Amino acid sequence: MGQGQQEKVATSLTGAVGEEIGASLAPVDAELERRYPGDPGTRQPVHTVYVPADAFEAGTIRSWGDRALAALDEHAPDAASFAAVLGLSEDLAEPVYSRVRAKLEREPVEDLRVDFEDGYGPRPDPEEDAAAARAARLIADACRNGTAAPYTGIRTKCMEAAVRDRGIRTLDIFLTGLMQAGGLPDGLVLTLPKVTYPEQVTAMARLLEAFEKVHGLAPGRIGFEIQIETSQAILAADGTATVARMIQAADGRATGLHYGTFDYSACLGVSAAYQAGDHPAADHAKAVMQVAAAGTGVRVSDGSTNVLPVGPTANVHDAWRLHYGLTRRALARAYYQGWDMHPGHLPTRYAAVFAFYREGLEQAATRLARYANRTGGDVMDEPATAKALSGYLLRGLDCGALDTAEVTHLTGLTRADLNSFATPRRGDLTASAAADHARPVAPPEISSN
């Protein structure tokens, strides 16, 4: 057949067959759209800082930043000394160190949780009532004057019978206080701890629905995180993965799954000396959480380390190395958020995050640019990989590891372009993949080893 001659196309099936299949799969299509809407495309904080309700003050965030800077001044006063502690390469030392200091001065805490649970403990009712009202007032003031963390909220007591009423009352006082002070802030986050049954998640969702109705808020306005701290949250008595059912029980309100390192480890009988984020039991729990949350729009957060960077310089450096290593390990496993328990953890949280994004910047930018321009290269990327590459760059931009100008220079893409790659709809992604298979692409460059 000569070039330019039209190829003869023949089919055997009638259109009715495709219509019948489409009709039979319509419920599945709707279910996929409902249960797996994909990532919301909003900023995810790199950490959550927990502060006991009785210790929370108007200047808490600034105090944490100042204490973290003081720790750097005392134990790693320049880029070279900080890099030597953490094993940063020479080319990363100054960019990471300067960005860490700038972050601590500008935005030391990305996500603040005022804690009314383990960090606060049981208190007389009038005392907790007053603390909940005070937390609402301080957070509303901070949002008004621009000193609040991008995300902020409270962790209440859980839905177990012994503390259920107290947790509900604290939540009511807090949310009511915010409404009286001008309304709920955009970055409001609530955390429900020690969840064991999906019905407890349903109860939280109903509670928030009732609050929304009382105040005339849009349905679904208030979401919450589910804290995974018990074995029952991972594996139910019938052998099913409870956490997957919990996401559905939230009826679209679940925003995150947060791993509770020490409660979960203790629940499994892990000795105190071995309770850590890299224990095999922790890896299993987080892997189940990750698979359950994939595609649902619910983000997964790692836990924390209880080894504090305090005392002599040698002790601080040891704790920094541990925290840095655990954070880097989590990032490599796609856990982009964790907990920090002490101001001294902030330098290594940001150092680990910034190094992670800066050392992969050029490769990610180059691959995404080649994909966007259809120029090929030594890797044949799919639409899903383009989504991951753009998501990587966007997370780096959000936390301050990367600058918009350098990302645009390397990729030729605007932030809007990155967003379009990072958050395609399900049908768009499938159609793009099909188009890629049909479109001629430049052959990859072959390199000899």
Side-chain angles (χ1 to χ4, degrees):
M1 181 180 297
Q3 282 189 339
Q5 186 172 345
Q6 184 108 13
E7 189 73 39
K8 185 176 181 181
V9 176
T11 62
S12 301
L13 302 176
T14 65
V17 175
E19 291 173 5
E20 180 184 346
I21 290 174
S24 69
L25 289 177
V28 172
D29 295 338
E31 188 82 343
L32 280 171
E33 190 71 22
R34 183 177 71 84
R35 292 186 183 272
Y36 301 100
D39 189 87
T42 55
R43 175 181 179 181
Q44 181 180 11
V46 302
H47 69 170
T48 302
V49 163
Y50 279 78
V51 177
D54 57 331
F56 177 56
E57 303 285 352
T60 290
I61 291 176
R62 186 62 265 153
S63 172
W64 272 59
D66 291 342
R67 290 167 66 187
L69 285 166
L72 278 178
D73 290 339
E74 181 176 357
H75 303 293
D78 53 45
S81 58
F82 195 48
V85 173
L86 304 180
L88 293 174
S89 62
E90 185 176 347
D91 62 318
L92 282 176
E94 180 55 41
V96 167
Y97 189 75
S98 61
R99 279 173 168 77
V100 168
R101 293 197 69 98
K103 181 75 170 181
L104 295 174
E105 292 166 357
R106 182 186 74 255
E107 188 182 74
V109 174
E110 291 196 357
D111 184 25
L112 176 71
R113 206 70 73 252
V114 182
D115 191 15
F116 286 89
E117 205 232 354
D118 284 349
Y120 184 71
R123 306 288 180 100
D125 284 338
E127 183 178 342
E128 184 159 342
D129 284 354
R134 178 173 168 273
R137 174 175 57 81
L138 291 176
I139 288 174
D141 288 346
C143 291
R144 233 181 339 262
N145 62 34
T147 59
Y151 297 91
T152 189
I154 65 171
R155 176 172 71 168
T156 62
K157 292 176 173 63
C158 69
M159 282 289 180
E160 292 179 356
V163 294
R164 183 184 303 140
D165 289 344
R166 180 64 262 179
I168 291 173
R169 181 171 174 82
T170 296
L171 182 62
D172 188 9
I173 292 171
F174 175 71
L175 292 177
T176 301
L178 289 177
M179 291 299 298
Q180 291 176 341
L184 304 181
D186 291 338
L188 176 68
V189 189
L190 306 174
T191 305
L192 179 65
K194 293 182 175 58
V195 183
T196 52
Y197 282 80
E199 289 80 2
Q200 293 168 333
V201 174
T202 299
M204 181 68 164
R206 288 176 177 170
L207 180 66
L208 297 177
E209 180 184 19
F211 187 89
E212 289 166 350
K213 287 180 177 178
V214 168
H215 290 276
L217 297 172
R221 163 65 179 86
I222 311 173
F224 62 97
E225 302 165 338
I226 302 168
Q227 204 159 358
I228 305 301
E229 302 178 88
T230 68
S231 61
Q232 296 94 335
I234 295 297
L235 190 68
D238 62 0
T240 59
T242 320
V243 64
R245 294 164 54 203
M246 288 178 178
I247 292 173
Q248 300 308 317
D251 196 24
R253 294 181 186 269
T255 59
L257 301 175
H258 283 230
Y259 176 67
T261 306
F262 306 104
D263 282 286
Y264 186 85
S265 299
C267 181
L268 268 62
V270 178
S271 298
Y274 297 96
Q275 293 177 359
D278 57 356
H279 190 280
D283 284 340
H284 171 259
K286 287 180 284 189
V288 174
M289 291 162 58
Q290 189 175 47
V291 173
T296 65
V298 176
R299 272 92 175 251
V300 175
S301 173
D302 199 359
S304 61
T305 175
N306 59 0
V307 179
L308 305 184
V310 297
T313 294
N315 290 5
V316 172
H317 286 181
D318 286 343
W320 274 353
R321 277 188 286 267
L322 174 65
H323 185 239
Y324 179 87
L326 288 172
T327 304
R328 286 301 306 262
R329 185 179 188 272
L331 289 167
R333 286 160 174 74
Y335 309 132
Y336 299 114
Q337 187 174 353
W339 301 6
D340 288 326
M341 301 176 68
H342 187 274
H345 285 140
L346 299 184
T348 38
R349 168 67 61 183
Y350 291 124
V353 171
F354 293 173
F356 176 76
Y357 290 113
R358 292 208 64 79
E359 69 187 18
L361 167 60
E362 289 196 14
Q363 183 185 51
T366 299
R367 286 178 64 179
L368 186 59
R370 286 175 173 170
Y371 176 85
N373 296 319
R374 308 297 178 191
T375 56
D378 57 0
V379 179
M380 186 74 77
D381 283 323
E382 297 282 343
T385 306
K387 177 181 177 181
L389 291 168
S390 55
Y392 173 90
L393 296 174
L394 286 167
R395 285 190 294 271
L397 288 168
D398 284 340
C399 69
L402 310 178
D403 301 324
T404 301
E406 65 181 340
V407 172
T408 299
H409 173 72
L410 290 170
T411 62
L413 303 172
T414 65
R415 172 134 195 163
D417 295 329
L418 295 177
N419 283 328
S420 69
F421 282 120
T423 56
R425 293 175 57 83
R426 172 177 298 277
D428 296 339
L429 191 63
T430 305
S432 178
D436 273 358
H437 285 296
R439 180 188 296 114
V441 178
E445 301 168 4
I446 307 298
S447 60
S448 57
N449 295 323

